[in-house]
Amino acid sequence: MADLTPARTDDDAAAGDQAVLSTKLHVPRPPSTFVSRPRLTERLERTRPGTVALVCAPAGSGKSVLVADWCRHRSSPVAWLSLDADDNDPIRFWRHLAASLERALADDPASRVDVRRSITTRGDQRVEEIAITVLNTISGPFDDLVLVLDDYHVIESDDVHAGVRLFLQHAPEQLRVVVVGRADPPLLLARRRARGELTEIRAADLQFSTAEAAGFFGDAIGADLPADTVAVLAERTEGWAVGLQLAALSLDGRDDVSAFVASFSGSHRFVLDYLTEEVLDRQPERVREFLLSTSILERLSGPLCDAVTGNDDGQDMLEACERANLFVVALDDERRWWRYHHLFAELLRSRLERLPPHAVNDLHRRAALWHEAHGHVDRAIDHAAAAGDYTWVMRLIERHADELLHRREGATLRRRLAELPDGVEASRRLLVAHARTAAYAGRPTEAEALLDAAANAAPDSDERFEPSIDRVASPLAMLDPTTALMRAFVAHLRGETDEAVALATQALDDVGADGTAAALIARLHLASSLWMRGTVDAAVPALAANLEGWRTLGEPGRATFACHYLARAHRTRGDLDAAAESYRAVLTIEDGQTASAAPSAGVAHIGLAEIAYQRNDLEQARQHLEPGIAACRQLVYTQSLASGLATLAQLRHDEGDTEGARAALDEAIDVGPDPDVVDLLNPVPVQRARLMLADGDDGPAEHWIRHRGVGVDDVPHHPLEPAHLLLARLLISRGQSARTLPLLDRLLDAATDDGRTGSVIEIEMLRALALADDDLPSAVTSLARAVSLAAPQRFVRLFVDEGEPMAALLAAVVATPDAADVDRQVLERVAELIAAFDRAAAGGAGDANGAGSARQSLVVQLTERELEVLGLLATGKPNREIAAELYVSLNTVKKHITHILDKLGAANRTAAVDRARALDLLR
């Protein structure tokens, strides 16, 4: 089963990459040679609160230093976030952005906010909506706040971009956002530019003027250069900050400055190469070796540098490099962590490539060992891969795979697996981990191929494996049972219940002890297979027992999944109340849990939205859909997200937003399970086909029926029931109702025998539509039964979504001569359904539990005068008094009454009045 286990959180920034890296939140200190540039900082200061500033220029232009100088001279709070490639994982991005805001507001007790907790305690958020949650948390307590996103060009994730766009769109007026990067980010800047809400500083603005260059060289080398020399240097470097700094380093201590200046020219790259050679060649050998050896590191600390160089003076060397202006940037106020200027590090690494490969690989191995020992998993993986040691890389990934999934960083796990080069033979455990992500995402074919590869891989030792989470809770620590359970899940996705049961039983035998996580997963497969087979009366107690097992074990994430299947079984029985109670239990389980647990609550919100929609409480459906879709975007498990989007499409369709409905359906197909996942678990393709069939486009329905290979002569099979009912709808729409009746009769018998009342309601309803043209009395009988079964649990949309043919047939239940024999409560429910049609036609969103007005559907048959006569009949007035009150002849009144009796299917005045009251037609 899909793993919805809550993620483990870690607020200790020193605990490794899974936590917040405090060095990313530090406003960089300008170098000692920095020259203040008021013409640019004043432009930043003129950035109005509530607007955005973009500082965009190539590497080495002085972007970050400029913004840092401005920030350090401001009295109001500044939140700084230095981005790197790992921040393409949306969860990591928002975790760090929240931490930067938290840190900025920490000094003022009146405005202190716990932004990260606003993320970790909400169970109803998708990645984009975390942005809104953060904004809601920080809005209000401060007068002016600056947020700087440095090196934004490293962000390539569409999910992160979408969240930032939303963040900027809803930013409070007192927040200024500064985006620093090498390229224009996809953040709807043109719109802000047109509205005058964008301040831009670009490469041309950042070029040092001759006067600024003169000041820079005076500070850098402690002497004033001739004006013509400064002009040449400024021209040759094009005012480029890093070029000027390298030139200053090369000039320091030279006697013949003019000769040196005349010796270089050309492009930026040429100047950099030339000056870097000059700078490095003039350093003592010990410093040169230190710079080259440590250039492989993204972040540097004294102990880390010692591990890489084999020396014990790393901290001293870093401080000395800073004093010598060798492009070293402190990442914290304590000077424990540093980094090289990005461009300088790139040039050092190109120089490092001149060393023998084995020497460079050895540096990476040392770095990987240190990072692994200190819990910096991502850095350890990067260095192990750079060293070419993919056995080590795989060991690191498989050790932390469970943790990444539990922590909702499935994007990181998938990226790491994708980075393994072709030809690398993955371990068995790693292949199973990969198969888990594929199966949870609804990709059974991919998962099966990975499991087959795992079966042929060399066996792994369970004793050697040390998972990063509790061994008892780690599926990869028990590889054989986990593999069997994953194959059971693949069979489950395909509707192959016999295979799923056999594999789950095998896994249960292998595990032995009951009450363990593996045993409960196996029992969940067995219980859910009962539901898949249609035997819901047996499935409900089995799923309830499984739920209690997870609660006893203290596994809220997996308990929510058991609740989800229990709710599905209740819905199949036609018990919407019990289903809603099961979904609400998920929210109770999640209450007070951390962010890692919270997204699984999205499954419950989607379920509650579907139930509210079925009951025509469309506003309630919207209220659950928004957080449900949001939270489910964070899950590897895709089925609920796809179902939520399909329900959103239906809501938009009801509002007349056809384009929006199609867009939601297209996204549901894109993000949802593969087409080989059985319809019972992936109803979206059928829902899409039904919606388009209602709009007169039967192509998608025909395509899906052909894909599933279902036909009118099939034997009922519960996992394929949605496809069979789609086939019935298609044939009815084409006027071929007679062909579908035998199939519907077999489906009805099977559903009745299994106690699947939810199915019986829908099948009887379709039988009524199929019978309507040739056998109206039988159609009325079938529809009356469907309405009778639907009434206690208030099914509404099942009828309304069938459109005009169903509206006409419901009217026929009232108008038929045999209607007097129909139960009064059924007639009242018919009136409510007709009222629901009225509201749907008007685009309303009320619920269908009140009677409402059914006039629009029946006034077609009862004229205004007939309604007046009907109202007077209800008062008990005789025909003569009615004629006198309406100023018409007695014969005219008698004709009106005859028409009323005919149209309402009533035998006499009393029956007509009763029928009118049931249909809420009386004034």
Side-chain angles (χ1 to χ4, degrees):
M1 289 295 156
D3 197 340
L4 301 183
T5 303
R8 180 172 60 86
T9 59
D10 191 345
D11 290 331
D12 183 4
D17 284 353
Q18 69 271 24
V20 169
L21 296 172
S22 61
T23 54
K24 292 162 64 72
L25 316 180
H26 178 77
V27 180
R29 287 183 176 275
S32 59
T33 56
F34 176 75
V35 175
S36 181
R37 309 179 74 184
R39 65 183 177 88
L40 297 179
T41 54
E42 287 173 6
R43 286 176 61 181
L44 287 172
E45 190 60 34
R46 288 198 300 269
T47 301
R48 302 191 314 276
T51 62
V52 175
L54 173 66
V55 183
C56 183
S61 299
K63 303 181 295 295
S64 300
V65 173
L66 170 71
V67 177
D69 178 55
W70 173 63
C71 289
R72 285 188 175 276
H73 287 86
R74 304 195 83 255
S75 58
S76 57
V78 173
W80 186 285
L81 176 57
S82 296
L83 299 166
D84 55 43
D86 290 336
D87 293 308
N88 282 288
D89 187 310
I91 298 301
R92 293 190 182 194
F93 175 89
W94 287 105
R95 185 182 295 146
H96 280 90
L97 187 143
S100 71
L101 292 167
E102 215 174 277
R103 175 172 176 159
L105 299 173
D107 294 337
D108 182 1
S111 64
R112 177 174 173 79
V113 293
D114 195 353
V115 185
R116 269 182 290 167
R117 189 61 57 193
S118 74
I119 297 174
T120 59
T121 58
R122 288 282 305 278
D124 57 357
Q125 296 167 299
R126 62 179 168 179
V127 169
E128 292 90 339
E129 288 202 344
I130 293 177
I132 299 301
T133 301
V134 172
L135 284 169
N136 289 339
T137 306
I138 65 171
S139 61
F142 56 88
D143 294 327
D144 187 9
L145 173 65
V146 171
L147 170 64
V148 179
L149 300 177
D150 193 19
D151 288 333
Y152 195 85
H153 58 270
V154 303
I155 299 300
E156 300 175 350
S157 166
D158 290 337
D159 286 338
V160 174
H161 290 317
V164 174
R165 284 193 293 267
L166 199 63
F167 184 90
L168 295 178
Q169 179 183 350
H170 296 278
E173 292 184 357
Q174 61 268 49
L175 178 66
R176 314 184 203 199
V177 179
V178 182
V179 181
V180 184
R182 301 179 190 175
D184 281 13
L187 300 179
L188 305 178
L189 299 179
R191 185 181 304 171
R192 289 187 172 274
R193 187 180 295 116
R195 296 198 301 242
E197 298 175 354
L198 180 67
T199 298
E200 298 178 80
I201 296 178
R202 297 192 172 271
D205 304 305
L206 288 163
Q207 289 177 358
F208 276 66
S209 66
T210 302
E212 289 172 333
F216 174 84
F217 284 120
D219 289 341
I221 63 178
D224 292 334
L225 293 177
D228 57 344
T229 301
V230 173
V232 171
L233 286 171
E235 179 186 358
R236 296 281 173 86
T237 60
E238 297 182 12
W240 197 20
V242 73
L244 291 173
Q245 189 172 353
L246 283 166
L249 287 169
S250 300
L251 285 168
D252 192 20
R254 287 186 181 271
D255 296 328
D256 191 353
V257 172
S258 297
F260 171 76
V261 171
S263 65
F264 72 87
S265 63
S267 66
H268 275 177
R269 186 70 205 194
F270 176 84
V271 171
L272 281 177
D273 288 344
Y274 179 84
L275 293 178
T276 301
E277 293 290 338
E278 286 286 327
V279 170
L280 288 177
D281 289 345
R282 299 182 66 204
Q283 300 303 318
E285 182 178 356
R286 183 161 156 269
V287 174
R288 193 163 57 244
E289 289 179 354
F290 177 85
L291 291 171
L292 291 173
S293 297
T294 57
S295 67
I296 66 169
L297 303 172
E298 294 290 336
R299 294 179 297 121
L300 306 95
S301 70
L304 173 56
C305 290
D306 291 343
V308 171
T309 63
N311 299 321
D312 59 0
D313 58 353
Q315 185 68 24
D316 293 338
M317 291 294 290
L318 287 168
E319 292 178 4
C321 287
E322 184 188 35
R323 288 193 298 271
N325 298 315
L326 286 175
F327 299 93
V328 179
V329 180
L331 295 178
D332 55 37
D333 291 327
E334 294 78 21
R335 281 171 161 68
R336 291 183 301 171
W337 284 96
W338 316 69
R339 69 168 175 84
Y340 290 123
H341 187 287
H342 299 310
L343 197 55
F344 187 62
E346 180 184 324
L347 292 163
L348 288 174
R349 289 167 193 158
S350 67
R351 177 78 174 264
L352 187 65
E353 292 175 358
R354 300 178 187 179
L355 296 179
H358 68 84
V360 179
N361 289 345
D362 188 51
L363 294 174
H364 282 294
R365 287 192 188 93
R366 295 177 187 180
L369 281 170
W370 190 92
H371 280 300
E372 182 182 12
H374 289 79
H376 305 164
V377 180
D378 272 327
R379 296 287 181 261
I381 292 173
D382 287 337
H383 286 293
D389 192 341
Y390 287 100
T391 300
W392 191 1
V393 170
M394 287 188 291
R395 180 175 63 79
L396 288 167
I397 296 174
E398 68 184 23
R399 181 172 180 239
H400 294 273
D402 291 315
E403 181 182 356
L404 287 169
L405 284 175
H406 287 188
R407 208 167 61 227
R408 295 183 289 131
E409 293 181 12
T412 297
L413 177 58
R414 290 192 294 274
R415 173 172 62 86
R416 288 302 184 185
L417 293 169
E419 286 172 350
L420 292 174
D422 294 338
V424 172
E425 187 173 344
S427 67
R428 182 184 173 205
R429 186 170 280 109
L430 199 62
L431 288 165
V432 172
H434 201 169
R436 288 174 67 202
T437 66
Y440 298 163
R443 313 282 184 259
T445 301
E446 179 186 348
E448 186 174 46
L450 289 163
L451 291 171
D452 289 344
N456 296 321
D460 294 337
S461 169
D462 286 346
E463 290 73 21
R464 179 184 64 81
F465 178 60
E466 298 178 2
S468 59
I469 64 173
D470 187 347
R471 189 178 184 87
V472 176
S474 168
L476 294 183
M478 296 179 291
L479 203 53
D480 288 338
T482 295
T483 302
L485 290 171
M486 290 313 305
R487 289 194 181 277
F489 191 31
V490 168
H492 175 80
L493 291 173
R494 290 174 171 160
E496 299 167 352
T497 53
D498 290 345
E499 179 73 5
V501 167
L503 289 164
T505 303
Q506 172 195 328
L508 194 59
D509 292 341
D510 291 343
V511 172
D514 213 342
T516 63
L520 284 170
I521 292 174
R523 293 201 178 279
L524 181 55
H525 278 298
L526 296 175
S528 61
S529 292
L530 293 171
W531 165 69
M532 291 281 286
R533 286 171 169 168
T535 54
V536 289
D537 288 340
V540 166
L543 288 166
N546 188 259
L547 169 60
E548 288 307 311
W550 289 118
R551 282 174 165 162
T552 301
L553 197 62
E555 288 272 9
R558 286 169 173 151
T560 63
F561 204 70
C563 277
H564 177 45
Y565 268 88
L566 180 58
R568 284 176 162 183
H570 283 309
R571 289 169 67 178
T572 304
R573 293 173 89 183
D575 193 343
L576 298 184
D577 287 338
E581 183 179 349
S582 293
Y583 284 128
R584 283 192 290 269
V586 174
L587 303 180
T588 301
I589 289 171
E590 294 294 357
D591 184 39
Q593 297 296 322
T594 60
S596 46
S600 51
V603 176
H605 281 295
I606 295 298
L608 289 169
E610 290 172 334
I611 291 171
Y613 176 79
Q614 183 56 245
R615 287 174 163 170
N616 208 34
D617 189 348
L618 305 189
E619 184 56 38
Q620 184 73 12
R622 287 189 189 90
Q623 291 175 10
H624 281 295
L625 268 184
E626 185 175 350
I629 291 173
C632 285
R633 289 187 188 278
Q634 300 181 57
L635 295 173
V636 178
Y637 177 72
T638 59
Q639 295 170 25
S640 289
L641 173 58
S643 293
L645 289 166
T647 304
L648 176 63
Q650 187 66 63
L651 283 173
R652 288 176 175 175
H653 184 269
D654 294 344
E655 295 166 349
D657 183 6
T658 303
E659 183 178 344
R662 294 282 179 96
L665 283 171
D666 289 344
E667 185 184 358
I669 294 293
D670 289 342
V671 304
D674 283 348
D676 52 345
V677 174
V678 75
D679 293 339
L680 205 59
L681 298 175
N682 180 30
V684 173
V686 168
Q687 288 172 303
R688 177 176 180 271
R690 281 188 58 185
L691 199 61
M692 298 182 80
L693 185 62
D695 287 339
D697 181 1
D698 63 4
E702 184 173 6
H703 168 77
W704 191 251
I705 289 164
R706 189 179 298 115
H707 169 76
R708 275 286 177 249
V710 295
V712 293
D713 298 324
D714 289 353
V715 174
H717 182 49
H718 187 225
L720 289 178
E721 185 176 272
H724 280 133
L725 296 180
L726 178 64
L727 171 61
R729 287 181 168 91
L730 178 64
L731 292 176
I732 292 170
S733 73
R734 291 177 171 178
Q736 302 176 31
S737 300
R739 290 186 58 203
T740 195
L741 280 170
L743 172 62
L744 289 172
D745 289 341
R746 291 193 299 275
L747 292 171
L748 180 62
D749 290 342
T752 302
D753 291 344
D754 290 338
R756 291 188 279 111
T757 302
S759 297
V760 171
I761 295 170
E762 187 171 3
I763 297 166
E764 282 282 33
M765 185 186 69
L766 290 177
R767 287 184 75 253
L769 289 172
L771 289 164
D773 289 339
D774 298 325
D775 189 353
L776 185 58
S778 295
V780 168
T781 300
S782 284
L783 185 56
R785 185 186 179 211
V787 172
S788 177
L789 292 171
Q793 292 296 317
R794 306 191 305 284
F795 285 82
V796 176
R797 297 303 302 201
L798 203 59
F799 299 88
V800 173
D801 289 344
E802 295 300 326
E804 285 304 316
M806 178 56 63
L809 193 54
L810 285 167
V813 172
V814 176
T816 182
D818 295 331
D821 299 328
V822 178
D823 183 87
R824 179 182 178 85
Q825 288 185 336
V826 173
L827 288 175
E828 290 176 353
R829 191 58 182 166
V830 168
E832 294 172 7
L833 291 173
I834 292 173
F837 272 99
D838 292 339
R839 284 192 295 274
D847 91 32
N849 298 329
S853 171
R855 291 182 62 191
Q856 184 168 340
S857 296
L858 294 182
V859 165
V860 176
Q861 301 166 62
L862 293 180
T863 66
E864 283 294 326
R865 179 62 84 183
E866 288 167 354
L867 285 170
E868 287 184 278
V869 172
L870 181 60
L872 294 171
L873 283 176
T875 66
K877 291 184 177 181
N879 292 353
R880 289 188 180 278
E881 290 186 24
I882 295 174
E885 186 164 336
L886 296 178
Y887 301 101
V888 296
S889 69
L890 182 61
N891 285 337
T892 299
V893 170
K894 289 180 179 179
K895 288 181 181 178
H896 284 318
I897 293 175
T898 299
H899 292 158
I900 291 169
L901 295 180
D902 288 343
K903 291 177 179 180
L904 292 181
N908 51 50
R909 291 165 52 121
T910 302
V913 170
D914 287 344
R915 196 70 34 82
R917 286 200 175 99
L919 296 178
D920 194 29
L921 296 177
L922 296 177
R923 297 183 173 182

